[in-house]
């Protein structure tokens, strides 16, 4: 059998410990499938004394991940520390410059520095792989770069943040408020160290920008993702959506239009009976639409030790087998600068307004929408007791977000709407 492929693993938390376990427990299977043994030679984390539930005594220890990345006895640097910059980026760059292949689960680093790191990898005849960075255990990067490579991709949609889906699901199923569901997710350890990465849509936006790059041959354009978190979604919205046969999901959508690249990560209404509508708890789903294949749906665990380590090992196995795939499915130098376009694909919208309960208020809303060219499909004012504002729900016919925003701006300057309106796209899936 050929010489072993030697891994240096930086980061021994949830994902890193999972990778150590698979490498040890499945050594024979991996060697048979990869055609050579997969071995860990050195590891790194902050605290050497922490019990991680795995025996690390066989491996060399490095306090400094950059030193680990450049060791002579490391062929593949496995970056599982996290963070867009700092030690993760420094060690990844050092590894590539030293001619080591790199496998990472770090979506933040790639969303911010993907282009330069992909170029650095190619300049040094190395590969940089990141299957685990998007949708956990779902092999979406492999699907896009390999199995679907013969397609023009028309649209990618997905629920790619398990924490947000858990919160929204619990609000609907258990009738919890946003705050209660958030606290529950926190108690289960689901939230990132900075919870805004999850509920603010940033983590999912990172993932979407990476998929868009592969799908459309563009340089990663995370800064151009239109982001909206789930903090404004209330139990009332969830109930009203359910009443109309919809569920609310933090949905990523990217497509290339004649105007440029659209990337949105926003709460949307999707049909409750659709695969995306049926998605429960922390599960992820990615839907890819190709001109030849039609619609492909991938569903699976979006996070956690086993699923994420499974994706890391998929990349490691490709390297063991000698597969030298480019980072984004084509040479980095051939990725074109994305021309970002604000989402203007027509869709119906769900609108919830707190309307002053006085004569003529509804007429002003109808006029503002009509003047902006927005047509009303359904409208209802629902029960309210003694309060001076009346909750009003409107579903529009297909319109564009800019047209709707024009109407909302007029209403914001009027004396009939209180607070911020909630406006959610109804996505055809
Ligand atoms: P984690 O549990 O917080 O583990 C992070 C590890 O990195 C810890 O072992 C930590 O050391 C180590 N570390 C941090 N700074 C370091 C430094 N300066 N030098 C050396 N080691 C350092 O994180 P995780 O959940 O495993 O996530 C790792 C990566 O995978 C992140 O990029 C994350 O976004 C990505 N990811 C995670 C999941 C998931 O389900 N958890 C899913 C997909 C992608 P100590 O243990 O000593 O503190
Ligand atoms: N915080 C992320 C999530 C972890 O909830 O999906 C996996 O990337």
């Amino acid at each position: 059998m050929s010489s072993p492929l030697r891994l240096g693993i930086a980061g021994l938390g949830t994902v890193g410990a999972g990778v150590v376990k698979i490498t040890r427990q499945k050594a024979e299977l991996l060697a048979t499938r990869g055609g050579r043994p997969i071995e860990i030679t050195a590891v790194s984390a902050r605290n050497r004394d922490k019990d991680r539930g795995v025996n690390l005594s066989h491996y060399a220890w490095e306090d400094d991940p950059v030193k680990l990345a450049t060791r002579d006895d490391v062929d593949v640097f496995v970056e599982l520390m996290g963070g867009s910059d700092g030690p993760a980026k420094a060690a990844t760059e050092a590894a590539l410059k030293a001619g080591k292949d790199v496998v990472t689960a770090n979506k933040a680093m790639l969303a911010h520095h993907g282009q330069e790191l992909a170029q650095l990898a190619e300049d040094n005849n190395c590969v940089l792989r990141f299957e685990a960075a998007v949708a956990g255990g779902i092999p979406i990067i492999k699907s896009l770069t390999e199995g679907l490579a013969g397609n023009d991709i028309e649209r990618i949609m997905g629920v790619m943040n398990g924490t947000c889906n858990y919160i929204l699901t619990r609000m609907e199923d258990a009738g919890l408020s946003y705050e209660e569901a958030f606290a529950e997710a926190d108690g289960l350890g689901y939230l990132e160290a900075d919870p805004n990465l999850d509920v603010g849509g940033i983590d999912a936006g990172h993932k979407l920008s990476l998929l868009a790059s592969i799908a459309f041959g563009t340089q990663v354009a995370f800064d151009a993702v239109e982001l909206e978190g789930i903090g404004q979604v209330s139990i009332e919205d969830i109930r009203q959506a359910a009443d109309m046969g919809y569920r609310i999901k933090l949905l990523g959508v990217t497509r290339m239009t004649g105007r440029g690249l659209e990337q949105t990560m926003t709460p949307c209404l999707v049909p409750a009976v659709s695969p995306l509508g049926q998605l429960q708890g922390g599960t992820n789903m990615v839907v890819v639409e190709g001109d030849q294949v039609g619609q492909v749906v991938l569903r699976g665990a979006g996070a956690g030790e086993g699923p994420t380590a499974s994706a890391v090992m998929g990349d490691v196995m490709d390297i063991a087998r000698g597969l030298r795939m480019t980072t984004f499915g084509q040479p980095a130098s051939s990725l074109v600068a994305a021309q970002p376009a604000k989402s203007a694909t027509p869709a119906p919208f769900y609108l919830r307004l707190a309307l002053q309960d006085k004569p003529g208020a509804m007429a002003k809303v109808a006029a503002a929408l009509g003047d902006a060219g927005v047509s009303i499909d359904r409208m209802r004012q629902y029960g309210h007791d003694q309060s001076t504002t009346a909750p009003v729900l409107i579903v529009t016919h297909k319109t564009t977000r800019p047209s709707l925003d024009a109407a909302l701006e007029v209403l914001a300057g009027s004396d009939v709407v209180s607070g911020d309106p909630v406006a959610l796209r109804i996505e055809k899936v």
Side-chain angles (χ1 to χ4, degrees), residues 231-371:
Q232 60 151 349
V233 177
S234 72
I235 185 72
E236 198 52 49
D237 297 315
I238 288 185
R239 286 194 188 122
Q240 294 298 334
D243 206 37
M244 295 187 293
Y246 291 101
R247 294 219 164 94
I248 300 179
K249 299 288 173 194
L250 178 67
L251 187 70
V253 182
T254 180
R255 50 161 75 84
M256 185 60 81
T257 69
R259 297 170 302 102
L261 177 65
E262 287 187 5
Q263 307 175 95
T264 57
M265 183 56 71
T266 56
C268 291
L269 274 67
V270 298
V273 293
S274 65
L276 280 162
Q278 294 283 308
L279 204 59
Q280 295 287 308
T283 313
N284 281 196
M285 182 174 285
V286 186
V287 179
V288 183
E289 292 168 354
D291 66 339
Q292 301 304 311
V293 73
Q295 195 176 70
V296 174
V297 180
L298 293 104
R299 176 186 183 282
E305 181 183 301
T308 314
S310 156
V312 170
M313 291 312 294
D315 284 341
V316 168
M317 290 297 280
D318 273 353
I319 293 171
R321 291 164 168 150
L323 186 64
R324 311 295 295 166
M325 181 63 79
T326 50
T327 308
F328 294 103
Q330 62 186 66
S333 57
S334 70
L335 294 164
V336 297
Q339 185 189 324
K342 282 241 170 223
S343 165
T345 302
F349 279 81
Y350 161 102
L351 201 56
R352 181 167 57 80
L353 308 162
L355 211 57
Q356 289 294 320
D357 201 1
K358 60 185 184 188
M362 194 71 95
K364 283 193 184 172
V365 173
L369 289 169
D371 290 348

Side-chain angles (χ1 to χ4, degrees), residues 355-401:
L355 211 57
Q356 289 294 320
D357 201 1
K358 60 185 184 188
M362 194 71 95
K364 283 193 184 172
V365 173
L369 289 169
D371 290 348
V374 180
S375 165
I376 296 171
D377 177 23
R378 282 184 263 177
M379 175 156 75
R380 84 170 176 235
Q381 179 172 316
Y382 53 97
H384 63 110
D385 33 35
Q386 304 306 321
S387 98
T388 55
T389 59
V392 169
L393 186 82
I394 293 171
V395 175
T396 73
H397 283 292
K398 271 190 178 183
T399 185
T400 63
R401 185 71 210 214

Side-chain angles (χ1 to χ4, degrees), residues 107 133 136 160-164 190-192 198 203 207 284 302-303:
K107 55 259 178 174
M160 302 179 213
N161 184 276
T163 304
C164 287
Y190 282 11
L191 290 163
E192 300 268 345
D198 286 315
D203 171 81
K207 296 166 180 168
N284 281 196

Side-chain angles (χ1 to χ4, degrees), residues 76-198:
V76 181
F77 174 60
V78 184
E79 187 286 302
L80 302 171
M81 295 177 286
S84 61
D85 292 85
K89 180 163 177 269
T92 297
E93 286 171 343
L96 294 172
K97 284 178 187 163
K100 318 283 187 190
D101 294 332
V102 174
V103 173
T104 180
N106 191 333
K107 55 259 178 174
M109 179 174 74
L110 286 167
H112 289 283
H113 307 293
Q115 178 65 24
E116 67 194 77
L117 291 174
Q119 189 64 61
L120 186 62
E122 283 169 34
D123 290 348
N124 289 281
N125 295 317
C126 298
V127 297
L128 166 62
R129 304 289 302 265
F130 64 96
E131 184 67 75
V134 183
I138 299 176
I140 180 60
I141 306 297
K142 253 182 133 32
S143 300
L144 274 177
T145 53
E146 297 178 42
L148 300 174
N151 285 260
D152 278 315
I153 301 300
E154 295 171 338
R155 179 170 69 157
I156 297 181
M157 289 182 289
V159 168
M160 302 179 213
N161 184 276
T163 304
C164 287
N165 203 53
Y166 180 83
I167 290 173
L168 293 171
T169 308
R170 290 292 292 157
M171 285 171 76
E172 176 161 6
D173 291 353
L176 302 181
S177 68
Y178 172 80
E179 289 73 19
E180 288 166 333
F182 179 97
E184 206 176 87
D186 196 16
L188 289 166
Y190 282 11
L191 290 163
E192 300 268 345
D194 171 5
N196 194 44
L197 287 176
D198 286 315

